[in-house]
Amino acid sequence: MTAQVSIEVEVLSDHAAIVTLRGEHDLHSRPEVAEALAGISACGNVVVDLSACSFLDSAIISALLQTATRLHERGGLLRIVMTGDSHAGVRRLFELMSLERIMPIHSSRAVAVAGLATRPQEPPATARRVRALGEIIDQSNPLDDSRAA
């Protein structure tokens, strides 16, 4: 039995918010995920909790990368939460794509939120790498019509 699919948004302050994804997220839920991320990216810093997410595909990774790019361009951060209970397939996807270099992975919400306050100095090319990786994923996803907008 798969977990109920849901997207929850929690605004912590004017400068930070958490988006929690539960269940399986793919091309079909991308519009809702992208909308939730766009809605809170004005906060400047976003934590995405994937602890209860059992599946992600490239459409969701692309939405995360686009959000990371927008946040980086405005001096903000995107952090990921994956606990020990996180689905191995989701964790493996992040490892295979080396996404932790772009979107740091934390073991809890508290650690991720604390990491927002102690921002490490990022190399200047990080935003360009995030944007380039997002473009590659978008181009390889012919069924994703969100680019037409």
Side-chain angles (χ1 to χ4, degrees), residues 48-124:
V48 178
D49 188 345
L50 300 176
S51 300
C53 186
S54 56
F55 177 81
L56 289 178
D57 76 356
S58 62
I60 303 303
I61 295 297
S62 177
L64 292 171
L65 289 168
Q66 289 171 356
T67 300
T69 299
R70 282 193 304 272
L71 292 170
H72 277 65
E73 288 171 349
R74 293 184 292 197
L77 300 169
L78 184 128
R79 298 288 187 242
I80 302 294
V81 174
M82 285 192 223
T83 64
D85 296 335
S86 294
H87 193 272
V90 174
R91 183 176 298 279
R92 185 72 179 133
L93 178 63
F94 271 73
E95 290 170 1
L96 286 171
M97 297 180 73
S98 298
L99 293 172
E100 71 280 353
R101 292 182 358 201
I102 299 167
M103 298 177 279
I105 298 172
H106 300 281
S107 59
S108 72
R109 287 176 175 224
V111 172
V113 171
L116 297 174
T118 58
R119 180 183 180 153
Q121 194 68 334
E122 295 178 346

Side-chain angles (χ1 to χ4, degrees), residues 21-33:
L21 302 181
R22 287 189 172 80
E24 297 183 359
H25 290 277
D26 57 19
L27 185 60
H28 298 290
S29 63
R30 185 191 194 285
E32 292 84 8
V33 171

